[in-house]
Amino acid sequence: MNSKSIECNSFQAFLESLPKENFWESFEIYQWKGIRFHPFILQSTIALSTEFVPRDDDIILASSLKVGTTWLKALCLSINNGADQENEDILTKGSPHLFVPTIESMVFVPNSDSVLSGMASPRLLHTHL
């Protein structure tokens, strides 16, 4: 299933075909491949699994929510960029989130393919999945 071809109606029909339950009486979550997802995250996950093309030298950081993702990104970014005196610390230029993209949030961004393919190797990427 290609996410770019998933229209709202067909995705809604797909959701309705999945087992679902109420999450804290706030919203419905759907089970797909043994994991429960919020609908937006499920759509993003399907897109990631069908459209993302990894490279052999990609570095993918995986972290759960609220476990120090910013710190993890900052450490790995610093290690990956080296610590020589000639290079300015990249973290003085902005948040680690600017330099280590979360791939599942990029799949619906216009031209995200060109952003990812234009990144120099090794690509430092992140996922919460």
Side-chain angles (χ1 to χ4, degrees):
M1 176 181 301
N2 185 325
S3 71
K4 290 183 180 174
S5 65
I6 298 176
E7 301 296 327
C8 284
N9 292 338
S10 64
F11 184 71
Q12 191 61 39
F14 171 70
L15 278 180
E16 295 305 320
S17 72
L18 299 174
K20 67 181 174 182
E21 58 189 69
N22 286 329
F23 183 73
W24 288 356
E25 299 178 10
S26 300
F27 54 87
E28 292 178 331
I29 55 174
Y30 296 84
Q31 185 173 344
W32 181 67
K33 294 190 176 186
I35 302 171
R36 291 175 180 87
F37 294 92
H38 183 277
F40 174 77
I41 301 299
L42 177 56
Q43 192 171 16
S44 180
T45 302
I46 292 169
L48 178 63
S49 68
T50 59
E51 296 173 18
F52 176 68
V53 180
R55 296 181 190 162
D56 289 340
D57 62 347
D58 280 347
I59 301 167
I60 300 178
L61 309 175
S63 66
S64 297
L65 298 170
K66 300 297 186 193
V67 296
T69 299
T70 304
W71 183 241
L72 175 67
K73 286 181 175 185
L75 286 172
C76 293
L77 186 62
S78 294
I79 291 167
N80 195 45
N81 285 339
D84 58 34
Q85 296 291 342
E86 295 177 21
N87 292 330
E88 180 182 1
D89 182 1
I90 195 167
L91 294 173
T92 62
K93 298 178 182 177
S95 167
H97 299 294
L98 296 173
F99 305 108
V100 184
T102 300
I103 50 181
E104 64 265 20
S105 65
M106 291 187 69
V107 292
F108 293 117
V109 176
N111 302 317
S112 63
D113 292 338
S114 62
V115 170
L116 286 174
S117 63
M119 289 178 72
S121 290
R123 298 184 300 187
L124 185 57
L125 306 167
H126 171 261
T127 183
H128 280 304
L129 298 174

